[in-house]
Amino acid sequence: MNEQDLAALEQSARRWTAALNEGARDLPADTLAALYEQRRQAVSRAAVRLHARPAGTGLLVLEHHPGWWIALATLLLLTAIWWMGRSPLPQPLSPQELTELDIKLLTGELPPQVFADWSLVTQENVEAVCLTDS
Amino acid sequence: MATNLEIDHFLAEVERRAYKHALYAIHDHHSALDVVQNAMMKLVERYADKPVQELPMLFQRILQNAIHDHFRRAKVRDFWVRLVSPLRDKDDENPETLESVAAAAEDYRSPGPEQEVSQRQHLALIENALAELPARQREAFLLRYWEGLDVAETAEVMGCSQGSVKTHSFRAVNALAQKLQKLGITP
């Protein structure tokens, strides 16, 4: 195929694409409506993203590598939950529990190791007492 | 960074061609709309912060990937459907190729003056021939001649070498010329 034939083919290609352009302009109304709606949704999404992004912060990195940050945050959260599970925070005693505790203190029913629990001491608002005479 | 207005104008400019592009490949109106919607959403979700000059190339790349994804999903779906229903009616298995684009195009339009009908028939024949091309040749033709990308840009969108783009483009134009000549349309 010589240069002239190639040039002729190129010219034909241009004519065909001109016809395709006409076809693209002449779409049915329901198709145009669907395309318009899709464009509107996409532009709304773009507007939300553009406004939600403050300039010069780490959020830009988060958006480009969300998977990495989410994985790290999840790992830290799970580690924190595991750590808290190992050493639970002391729970405050209810009034009924305090009453029962007082009764047991007066009747001597508490085991000795209870008196080693500093949270119990602070709960009863009792200072540590030296049990031996100095 | 592209502004909201720039994104809107860009999408308004490409949406029709993108739909036709998808329709030639997929041969289904609703699937073509889905592909275009996916492409638009991916563009704004991942590349809304890019300059507006980069959006055409990015969108074409996304559109091509969306079309390929559609075929991959269809292949997987067909595999499982065939696996589950071996006694299915054979008539259901063979989708029409493209009596569709031309026929579907005709269905939407009401008859007009003789010249308009002739132009529409001319267009339908070109679209039919285009839809019958192998996928890579059609992609190369549409990107090079319809979208106006140069060889390097087309190679980047298609994920192949520039030599391959030239080969696919040439074969596409040649094949179209032969098909249309047989139908009485002189190239």
Side-chain angles (χ1 to χ4, degrees):
Chain A
M1 191 170 281
N2 57 30
E3 291 288 331
Q4 211 170 1
D5 293 333
L6 285 172
L9 279 179
E10 289 274 324
Q11 217 172 10
S12 301
R14 309 278 174 220
R15 275 203 297 276
W16 298 328
T17 52
L20 294 178
N21 282 333
E22 285 295 323
R25 274 194 283 273
D26 189 22
L27 287 177
D30 57 342
T31 305
L32 290 174
L35 289 172
Y36 172 79
E37 178 58 27
Q38 288 172 3
R39 176 162 47 95
R40 192 191 62 77
Q41 288 178 13
V43 170
S44 300
R45 181 78 64 90
V48 166
R49 290 177 62 79
L50 286 170
H51 286 127
R53 182 184 301 124
T57 68
L59 281 177
L60 188 61
V61 175
L62 178 65
E63 280 173 8
H64 283 288
H65 303 282
W68 187 74
W69 278 96
I70 289 172
L72 182 62
T74 305
L75 185 62
L76 288 174
L77 185 64
L78 289 173
T79 305
I81 291 171
W82 172 76
W83 185 257
M84 284 173 62
R86 288 186 64 206
S87 48
L89 296 173
Q91 299 294 324
L93 298 174
S94 65
Q96 188 178 358
E97 288 172 340
L98 280 172
T99 306
E100 288 175 3
L101 185 61
D102 285 339
I103 293 171
K104 287 183 181 174
L105 274 170
L106 289 171
T107 57
E109 288 179 7
L110 290 174
Q113 55 267 27
V114 169
F115 294 96
D117 185 2
W118 185 245
S119 62
L120 172 63
V121 173
T122 54
Q123 191 76 34
E124 291 288 299
N125 202 16
V126 172
E127 290 180 0
V129 175
C130 181
L131 299 177
T132 58
D133 294 328
S134 55
Chain B
M1 191 164 77
T3 64
N4 219 31
L5 195 61
E6 285 171 333
I7 292 173
D8 188 22
H9 283 160
F10 167 71
L11 290 177
E13 201 181 289
V14 299
E15 62 186 7
R16 296 182 190 215
R17 289 202 306 278
Y19 164 74
K20 290 296 259 185
H21 200 143
L23 188 62
Y24 296 145
I26 296 171
H27 312 328
D28 180 75
H29 164 69
H30 296 290
S31 298
L33 284 175
D34 287 342
V35 161
V36 171
Q37 182 168 32
N38 287 342
M40 285 184 181
M41 284 300 184
K42 278 187 187 165
L43 180 76
V44 300
E45 281 172 4
R46 297 181 191 175
Y47 302 108
D49 57 336
K50 294 290 184 185
V52 68
Q53 299 84 352
E54 293 183 28
L55 293 184
M57 282 275 296
L58 288 168
F59 183 73
Q60 289 304 325
R61 188 74 197 255
I62 293 169
L63 183 66
Q64 293 302 322
N65 288 338
I67 291 171
H68 295 157
D69 286 345
H70 169 85
F71 285 119
R72 268 196 285 270
R73 280 196 298 272
K75 201 184 274 188
V76 170
R77 189 173 55 238
D78 288 346
F79 170 77
W80 286 110
V81 167
R82 282 202 201 96
L83 201 65
V84 169
S85 50
L87 300 178
R88 201 168 58 150
D89 187 0
K90 293 292 180 190
D91 290 339
D92 296 337
E93 285 186 6
N94 298 319
E96 82 293 359
T97 42
L98 223 70
E99 56 177 7
S100 56
V101 168
E106 291 298 329
D107 286 343
Y108 285 119
R109 301 187 184 110
S110 54
E114 195 176 301
Q115 192 178 4
E116 277 187 27
V117 170
S118 167
Q119 279 179 353
R120 286 179 194 152
Q121 285 172 346
H122 185 91
L123 172 64
L125 291 173
I126 294 174
E127 288 182 333
N128 204 10
L130 191 61
E132 288 175 1
L133 286 178
R136 293 298 265 177
Q137 289 182 17
R138 183 178 49 248
E139 279 174 27
F141 176 83
L142 291 173
L143 290 169
R144 285 278 290 124
Y145 295 105
W146 204 17
E147 299 295 340
L149 303 182
D150 62 25
V151 174
E153 289 168 339
T154 306
E156 193 179 326
V157 169
M158 290 179 65
C160 64
S161 66
Q162 295 188 25
S164 296
V165 167
K166 289 179 188 171
T167 303
H168 289 314
S169 307
F170 172 75
R171 287 180 181 168
V173 175
N174 216 19
L176 282 173
Q178 287 176 8
K179 278 185 213 284
L180 292 174
Q181 200 163 21
K182 281 181 194 168
L183 295 169
I185 300 175
T186 51

